Amino acid sequence: MSKLNHFDKKGNAVMVDITGKDITDRIAIAKGKIYVNRDVFDAIAEKTAKKGDVLGCARIAGIMGCKRTSDLIPMCHPLMITKASVDFEMNSQELSISAICTAKITDKTGVEMEALTGVTIALLTIYDMCKAMEKKTPLYDTHLKYGGKIVEFGGFLLPVQYGSGVKAEHMAVRTQCGLFDVSHMGEVLVQGEKAKDFLNLLLTNDYTDLQPGFARYSPMCNEHGGTVDDLIVYMKGENDYFVVVNAANTDKDFAWMCDHKIDGVELTNASDQYGQVALQGPNAENVLKKVVDEKYIPAGYYTCIFGGDFQGIPVMISRTGYTGEDGFEIYMPADKAPDVWEALIEAGKDDGLIPCALGARDTLRMEAAMPLYGHELNDEISPRTAGLGFAVKMDKPDFIGKAALEADQPLKERRVGLKVTGRGILREHLDVYKDGKIVGHTTSGTYLPYLGSSYAMAIVESGAREIGAACQVDVRGRMVDCEMVGLPFYKRQK
């Protein structure tokens, strides 16, 4: 039996039986591109020129495309795909797929045909995976109604901005009020008599003294001290916790939790049951008071109220935020999200409330120097490297990753802020230089509207991290002058 071994977006190997499958006619649907290593082309070129269905070669090569014209070699060749790592780019109009493939050569005629279908089904399988990722939040139609520009984010189709633009949305949250759809976030219920013990083992923060109605942020580490995700735990009642995780990590996180579950704990992935909106900005509380009784509005930062009532809709309201401003998160049954959204928009007309989207959410969290998973945090970056030591309680008896974090002392690298003093906009994955040598790389970067300048966050060698020191960032071959600065870049006046 021939099998294709490729990897999904979370890095998990997916085995697909390709024996006897011939689906060439369906490839065109994918509008896909497959990028194959040059050495693979070189290895198969001679055999390909002598064998294979010429018509089939032309059809597949024309659909697939290549990195360079010189790579456009007929794709009906005797190879067996052994691994394909996949990248995705998707919006509401177009699906683009790229893959880096490695292969082995065979001379057996039967296997040659299976190898051809292996390449064919790789495209279809990847396409099906992408289509499955085109999830829509309960507010998708609402975003279209309000003119949202839709992109893929975390496996969901979400607005990156509305007609007012990112800058206007950003400034509305800093000075008045903005409303975000965050229904893509994942929700996991952790319940049972050992729920607190489980959370203390699973997470770096300490939940021993957490009380009902309060929330606590924490990284979740792997055994090597890298970060599986960062999340917030809300305590609903005794042995009853509501955990909110990052959208793109929901399945990965839930699998991780299940793999490390202890007796006396019940886990439920309830993500599909909830819609969530974030009401953020100085006027957020004024708006919320118009539609919700004050007894259901949390009074303090990182507190929450379960069992609330929003014009007859059952809700949980929390007060955390990911923008650097005061604000609230409102959780409701998924099908009621449009009703909550419209009620808030109507209530906020006199308070400057406007719909806000992913673009502004990113620039706002950047100004506040809040980490974003996949940028400042990932499976290899520890929370302490990312500057999250406040949420890593090394005095706990144990937690996953504790031994690795103890061994990682002193820290080799640390997060730092960069302010552009020259000319240029910084992005992620750029080399940072100090005294003529590379000392680290940027993790996030952009122009920050409220501060009126370009900033970035970077992870650099601890010995090179010096607040006030000059440094340079290589932006496409041009050195941009910067200064190392402390974090956060922006902190609201309370």
Side-chain angles (χ1 to χ4, degrees):
M1 179 181 292
S2 299
K3 288 189 177 182
L4 167 70
N5 184 5
H6 66 79
F7 296 83
D8 64 19
K9 195 173 184 182
K10 302 178 182 65
N12 301 313
V14 179
M15 298 298 293
V16 181
D17 180 10
I18 63 173
T19 305
K21 294 183 182 291
D22 185 7
I23 49 176
T24 305
D25 292 338
R26 295 182 61 190
I27 303 179
I29 302 173
K31 299 180 182 177
K33 294 181 180 179
I34 199 161
Y35 296 161
V36 181
N37 290 344
R38 181 69 213 187
D39 58 348
V40 175
F41 276 112
D42 292 339
I44 66 173
E46 182 178 356
K47 293 179 181 293
T48 302
K50 298 176 181 178
K51 300 179 181 181
D53 174 1
V54 177
L55 177 60
C57 293
R59 292 175 65 194
I60 296 174
I63 292 166
M64 292 167 72
C66 299
K67 278 185 174 177
R68 300 182 294 272
T69 304
S70 60
D71 284 344
L72 191 54
I73 296 172
M75 296 302 295
C76 182
H77 50 66
L79 71 89
M80 177 64 67
I81 298 294
T82 56
K83 179 180 179 181
S85 59
V86 184
D87 288 327
F88 303 81
E89 291 183 9
M90 180 167 56
N91 57 41
S92 57
Q93 287 79 38
E94 184 179 5
L95 171 67
S96 176
I97 307 165
S98 63
I100 306 299
C101 297
T102 57
K104 62 182 179 181
I105 310 304
T106 178
D107 291 325
K108 296 181 179 179
T109 304
V111 180
E112 286 174 7
M113 291 305 297
E114 289 182 357
L116 169 60
T117 56
V119 174
T120 302
I121 200 167
L123 282 173
L124 182 67
T125 304
I126 296 166
Y127 169 68
D128 285 344
M129 287 163 50
C130 288
K131 296 302 289 184
M133 290 169 58
E134 287 186 1
K135 299 178 183 177
K136 298 176 181 178
T137 74
L139 288 164
Y140 178 79
D141 290 337
T142 304
H143 299 317
L144 297 181
K145 171 184 172 181
Y146 282 84
K149 180 181 178 182
I150 304 298
V151 300
E152 185 275 334
F153 178 81
F156 286 80
L157 297 179
L158 289 163
V160 66
Q161 66 178 60
Y162 293 93
S164 55
V166 173
K167 183 177 180 180
E169 294 170 22
H170 181 110
M171 296 303 291
V173 174
R174 284 281 176 260
T175 62
Q176 297 183 90
C177 199
L179 183 62
F180 300 83
D181 175 17
V182 282
S183 302
H184 56 299
M185 301 294 281
E187 292 85 19
V188 177
L189 309 182
V190 179
Q191 299 165 312
E193 61 181 11
K194 295 294 183 180
K196 184 177 291 187
D197 294 339
F198 174 64
L199 291 173
N200 274 328
L201 174 65
L202 188 74
L203 307 176
T204 64
N205 213 331
D206 192 349
Y207 290 87
T208 304
D209 61 350
L210 188 67
Q211 297 298 313
F214 287 82
R216 189 163 293 170
Y217 170 87
S218 181
M220 179 166 63
C221 281
N222 56 37
E223 291 87 346
H224 306 292
T227 310
V228 177
D229 201 3
D230 62 330
L231 49 81
I232 298 178
V233 176
Y234 301 86
M235 188 172 183
K236 183 176 182 180
E238 186 176 2
N239 304 324
D240 193 355
Y241 299 86
F242 184 84
V243 181
V244 178
V245 303
N246 284 299
N249 291 340
T250 300
D251 292 339
K252 180 185 79 167
D253 289 357
F254 188 66
W256 179 265
M257 293 176 183
C258 291
D259 287 344
H260 295 84
K261 187 171 74 73
I262 62 176
D263 291 341
V265 173
E266 181 179 345
L267 300 174
T268 305
N269 184 350
S271 303
D272 292 341
Q273 300 175 25
Y274 291 94
Q276 183 195 163
V277 298
L279 183 66
Q280 299 283 298
N283 295 342
E285 188 166 5
N286 292 337
V287 174
L288 194 57
K289 285 178 178 178
K290 296 176 184 179
V291 288
V292 173
D293 191 298
E294 285 193 45
K295 67 182 179 181
Y296 298 126
I297 299 177
Y301 190 50
Y302 264 72
T303 62
C304 57
I305 295 177
F306 289 84
D309 182 281
F310 186 111
Q311 299 183 345
I313 299 171
V315 294
M316 186 275 271
I317 302 177
S318 61
R319 195 168 194 162
T320 60
Y322 191 57
T323 63
E325 295 299 331
D326 188 22
F328 304 88
E329 299 77 41
I330 305 166
Y331 299 80
M332 74 294 292
D335 62 344
K336 298 298 183 181
D339 296 334
V340 171
W341 177 279
E342 295 291 0
L344 288 168
I345 290 292
E346 179 64 27
K349 283 183 176 180
D350 295 333
D351 292 282
L353 176 64
I354 64 172
C356 297
L358 293 171
R361 191 166 171 82
D362 190 51
T363 55
L364 288 160
R365 72 94 191 170
M366 261 288 299
E367 273 186 348
M370 293 181 170
L372 174 63
Y373 194 87
H375 292 252
E376 288 69 46
L377 293 168
N378 61 35
D379 288 319
E380 297 180 355
I381 299 175
S382 81
R384 299 176 90 179
T385 294
L388 302 176
F390 69 91
V392 179
K393 306 303 183 185
M394 299 300 291
D395 55 349
K396 286 203 303 181
D398 196 16
F399 60 84
I400 297 170
K402 181 180 179 182
L405 294 178
E406 286 176 332
D408 187 25
Q409 291 292 331
L411 290 173
K412 300 180 181 65
E413 297 178 318
R414 296 174 62 194
R415 182 165 62 124
V416 71
L418 302 179
K419 179 180 180 180
V420 173
T421 55
R423 293 176 61 85
I425 303 294
L426 305 184
R427 304 297 183 191
E428 66 268 25
H429 307 312
L430 302 177
D431 289 333
V432 178
Y433 287 77
K434 185 183 179 190
D435 299 327
K437 73 168 189 173
I438 297 176
V439 296
H441 65 278
T442 58
T443 55
S444 295
T446 190
Y447 177 83
L448 300 180
Y450 188 78
L451 298 178
S453 186
S454 177
Y455 289 79
M457 290 187 281
I459 291 179
V460 300
E461 297 171 6
S462 294
R465 186 183 184 278
E466 181 184 358
I467 303 302
C471 61
Q472 296 78 40
V473 176
D474 184 353
V475 181
R476 296 185 298 277
R478 184 173 65 88
M479 289 298 187
V480 175
D481 290 332
C482 300
E483 176 188 353
M484 292 189 183
V485 297
L487 299 173
F489 305 119
Y490 164 85
K491 189 172 185 178
R492 72 182 177 93
Q493 300 299 313
K494 298 182 180 180

